[in-house]
Amino acid sequence: MAAAFLLPALVLLGALVVHPIGYSLYRSFFDRSGETFVGVDNFREIFADDTIRTALRNTAVWVVLAPTTATVLGLVFAVLTERVRWGTAFKLVVFMPMAISMLAAGIIFRLVYEADPDRGVANAVWVGVHDTFAESSAFPKARPGRDSPLVPAGGGAYVTKEPVRAGVPVLLPLVGVAPDALPDGTRPAVAPAAEPGKVTGTTWQDFTRGGGGRTNAVDPAESAYAGMRIEAVRDGKVVERTTARADGTFTLSAKADGAVLRLPAENFREPYAGVDWLGPVLVTPAVIGAYVWMWAGFSMVLIGAGLAAVPRELLEAARVDGAGEWQVFRRITVPLLAPVLAVVLVTLVINVMKIFDLVFVIAPGSVQDDANVLALQLYRTSFGTDADQGLGSAIAVLLLVLVVPVMLYNIRRIRREGRR
């Protein structure tokens, strides 16, 4: 009777699990065509191919970082939500990503990590924080034009060719800023007026829209560079500095007489464009972040269920004995939750070894080699115009070999828990 009930399940298990594993093992010993026996050559190629070695290394990074981070966050969320009145709502929000498929989550985070701060949320936040402490220049592409009195000074700064003199107006013309890129409220430039005992001048966009105008002369239709920083430098030291007014004019005292004027590089600093989240360096941590966003809720729910079963009298007794909250958490809560934490950690380790969807969707094609993992490499090797199912089967067998020890540990742990 038992065999009759088990037979359908055994047939399905054999057809969907045992047979594919056995055939993959068999196919891994043959070449691309499946006709020539090559022994363990496919397995040798796994460790000789740079792309597959990168996939192995990234898989190891995933196994170490992703389950640990998701489990720790789940533990923190489970403990903290017991102390707030809106804990149920918070749990709902954190667990909600589990209702989203990996494909949908990948599309969401592909947009989140978009390089353009106007589209990507991550860079929008990052740029906003950066610009709060280091505002970018309004004239990032400004440069001296033809026959300009300014010359490059190194490091992105510009200086006047000749020292300036008090009472003689100075012209600091620049070009290169698109008219529509000038700051809002930009006013027309005004020619400088001479002032006895002072160095005066104007800095402006020496370009007239529609043509016309005179080179190195302030024309009525040309725009001022309001806020441009100007420094008077003598013998390598800054003796005075000022900022251009709204009409582009500026004034320095007699201390600037005989000095050269410098427009420091900070005037021309390129706007901060944020972080290249999906570049070769950060693509793997970025994709792991998306995974943690999805699976931290899973960890929180399981750990929260375990936490509900912890005897409260043990926690209260520790507090009565003078233990602080950190001591209660570290010496009582965490040890009592160890079996649940092991379940969550092992489950996530098995899950990340097979991760495919997020990496495939989030990582752009240009950096997929850098973000590669074993499951993705298995797909890329086994399918497509240059498919090598012999090598792909060898990768599948390797992935199975890596998962089996974790599965055996899980089985032993379950049996040990059952004997208790």
Side-chain angles (χ1 to χ4, degrees):
M1 182 66 69
F5 279 104
L6 287 174
L7 185 60
L10 291 175
V11 170
L12 286 175
L13 189 65
L16 300 179
V17 179
V18 177
H19 175 263
I21 290 175
Y23 183 75
S24 295
L25 180 61
Y26 167 80
R27 187 68 175 81
S28 67
F29 294 111
F30 288 81
D31 67 351
R32 184 189 302 265
S33 66
E35 298 175 354
T36 304
F37 181 80
V38 295
V40 296
D41 287 353
N42 287 324
F43 293 95
R44 289 197 187 100
E45 187 171 348
I46 288 177
F47 297 100
D49 187 279
D50 289 340
T51 302
I52 301 178
R53 286 208 303 267
T54 300
L56 276 168
R57 184 172 62 251
N58 285 342
T59 301
V61 171
W62 270 88
V63 168
V64 172
L65 289 183
T68 304
T69 306
T71 303
V72 170
L73 283 178
L75 175 61
V76 172
F77 291 158
V79 172
L80 293 183
T81 49
E82 285 201 331
R83 299 173 176 271
V84 294
R85 296 176 59 184
W86 39 270
T88 303
F90 180 81
K91 287 181 180 179
L92 179 64
V93 171
V94 174
F95 188 75
M96 195 175 295
M98 286 296 299
I100 303 173
S101 69
M102 285 281 195
L103 175 62
I107 294 172
I108 291 170
F109 274 86
R110 182 68 180 267
L111 295 174
V112 167
Y113 292 135
E114 178 72 39
D116 185 355
D118 293 331
R119 297 177 59 190
V121 175
N123 265 344
V125 174
W126 197 264
V127 170
V129 172
H130 175 275
D131 288 351
T132 300
F133 299 98
E135 186 177 356
S136 60
S137 166
F139 321 109
K141 297 185 182 297
R143 65 185 187 279
R146 176 167 51 90
D147 300 326
S148 173
L150 293 167
V151 294
Y158 299 103
V159 297
T160 55
K161 296 177 182 178
E162 304 292 337
V164 296
R165 296 297 175 188
V168 180
V170 182
L171 299 178
L172 303 179
L174 294 165
V175 296
V177 180
D180 55 357
L182 288 168
D184 295 337
T186 296
R187 293 167 50 180
V190 174
E195 294 185 29
K198 295 183 179 180
V199 174
T200 58
T202 298
T203 177
W204 82 103
Q205 170 97 324
D206 190 18
F207 172 79
T208 302
R209 180 179 287 189
R214 297 166 297 162
T215 302
N216 298 331
V218 180
D219 295 302
E222 293 174 345
S223 300
Y225 279 162
M228 180 74 74
R229 298 174 178 85
I230 301 105
E231 297 175 342
V233 181
R234 183 186 292 111
D235 298 328
K237 296 181 179 180
V238 177
V239 295
E240 193 175 1
R241 52 171 55 91
T242 189
T243 301
R245 293 183 279 269
D247 58 6
T249 59
F250 60 89
T251 303
L252 295 164
S253 69
K255 291 189 291 185
D257 185 33
V260 295
L261 298 188
R262 179 172 67 189
L263 302 180
E266 63 193 53
N267 287 311
F268 315 106
R269 184 171 49 233
E270 292 282 347
Y272 183 63
V275 176
D276 189 9
W277 299 103
L278 299 182
V281 176
L282 292 178
V283 63
T284 295
V287 180
I288 289 175
Y291 177 88
V292 170
W293 175 76
M294 291 191 67
W295 286 86
F298 168 82
S299 303
M300 178 193 65
V301 169
L302 289 189
I303 295 170
L307 191 60
V310 172
R312 300 298 162 175
E313 57 270 17
L314 295 179
L315 305 181
E316 294 303 325
R319 294 188 180 102
V320 169
D321 287 342
E325 291 302 320
W326 171 245
Q327 291 176 308
V328 171
F329 173 77
R330 185 167 58 92
R331 296 184 178 275
I332 298 176
T333 304
V334 172
L336 290 175
L337 288 175
V340 178
L341 296 176
V343 171
V344 173
L345 195 60
V346 170
T347 302
L348 294 181
V349 166
I350 296 172
N351 185 268
V352 299
M353 281 189 175
K354 302 178 293 181
I355 194 70
F356 165 79
D357 325 52
L358 282 180
V359 181
F360 184 73
V361 176
I362 295 177
S366 59
V367 296
Q368 275 203 355
D369 283 346
D370 300 286
N372 205 6
V373 289
L374 279 177
L376 177 58
Q377 184 61 33
L378 167 61
Y379 168 79
R380 296 171 66 185
T381 303
S382 302
F383 303 99
T385 56
D386 194 32
D388 185 345
Q389 293 188 357
L391 181 58
S393 298
I395 296 173
V397 172
L398 174 63
L399 194 55
L400 175 65
V401 169
L402 294 176
V403 170
V404 164
V406 184
M407 294 292 294
L408 292 177
Y409 168 80
N410 209 22
I411 293 171
R412 290 181 60 187
R413 184 193 55 75
I414 292 173
R415 288 177 175 174
R416 188 165 57 247
E417 291 294 325
R419 287 196 295 269
R420 291 181 182 177

